[in-house]
Amino acid sequence: MKRFASLTALLLTLVLVLSLAACGDKNTADDNQTTDQPSTTQPADNGDAAQTNGTTTGSVDLAALRDQLIADCGYTDTLPVETAGLESTYGITADQVTSSASFNATVGTAFPDEIVMVEATDAAAAQDVASKLTNRLSAIADQAASYDPDSEALAKKCEVVTSGNYVGMFFSSHYDEMVSAFQNAVDRKSTRLN
């Protein structure tokens, strides 16, 4: 019985030490995020800004822009689309993408809102991405033609936006404000680099 109590105490101590270590790591990560020092994390396929050797390369933070659009437009039911998921719906392959941040949002219509923002690897990739997204808008319009005139009209109104290697598709009733936010983010990036 004494041995069991000792073993239990040892296990509880180990759990406490590991919990404190985990909390310490979390606080350290939180502290690093609140400082003005560059991040040292590696790029992820979730739309984070591209980074090289721990410093950002001046890319637009598309993930932050995605979060801003979701909040500003009042979306409550969204599904993020990571870079790996772009191929199945849009035909955009991971080798064409430096970073991306995309999502679908249920809005109570036949078609969900589809927002795709991509930083392409180069001008040729950007042109191909834009072509694929334009085809997607055409496909939505064609599908909606027989039973959802509002979605058809929206798909015809929305255009793919290209600025340098940045490409955006905003199939949403918030199209105008999303395009404005996207272009402002890309313009701010260009201004910082000049």
Side-chain angles (χ1 to χ4, degrees):
M1 186 69 156
K2 192 173 188 180
R3 182 175 228 166
F4 179 73
S6 297
L7 184 57
T8 302
L10 180 62
L11 286 175
L12 288 174
T13 303
L14 181 61
V15 168
L16 179 62
V17 168
L18 292 175
S19 297
L20 289 174
C23 289
D25 287 345
K26 182 179 179 203
N27 289 339
T28 303
D30 290 345
D31 290 343
N32 286 340
Q33 290 176 359
T34 60
T35 64
D36 291 332
Q37 298 174 1
S39 173
T40 57
T41 59
Q42 295 300 315
D45 278 346
N46 63 359
D48 290 340
Q51 299 178 1
T52 307
N53 296 329
T55 60
T56 60
T57 60
S59 295
V60 173
D61 187 350
L62 294 176
L65 181 56
R66 174 184 56 195
D67 294 343
Q68 174 192 336
L69 294 177
I70 290 170
D72 290 351
C73 297
Y75 289 119
T76 56
D77 189 11
T78 62
L79 176 67
V81 178
E82 306 303 341
T83 299
L86 294 174
E87 187 170 7
S88 62
T89 304
Y90 306 103
I92 300 168
T93 57
D95 64 327
Q96 296 179 296
V97 178
T98 298
S99 67
S100 75
S102 307
F103 67 95
N104 293 337
T106 304
V107 291
T109 59
F111 291 88
D113 283 8
E114 293 183 31
I115 287 64
V116 179
M117 297 178 291
V118 171
E119 179 185 6
T121 53
D122 56 33
Q127 185 177 7
D128 189 52
V129 168
S131 175
K132 290 173 178 178
L133 293 177
T134 299
N135 290 342
R136 176 61 179 166
L137 285 173
S138 295
I140 292 171
D142 290 345
Q143 290 172 352
S146 62
Y147 65 93
D148 189 355
D150 292 337
S151 292
E152 178 188 16
L154 181 60
K156 288 181 177 180
K157 171 195 174 193
C158 298
E159 296 179 356
V160 173
V161 179
T162 303
S163 182
N165 289 349
Y166 289 91
V167 183
M169 182 190 84
F170 306 94
F171 175 69
S172 170
S173 60
H174 302 283
Y175 171 79
D176 294 325
E177 60 197 274
M178 289 182 169
V179 167
S180 177
F182 180 72
Q183 289 178 326
N184 287 340
V186 172
D187 290 346
R188 279 194 308 268
K189 177 231 166 218
S190 297
T191 302
R192 282 193 315 262
L193 292 178
N194 292 334

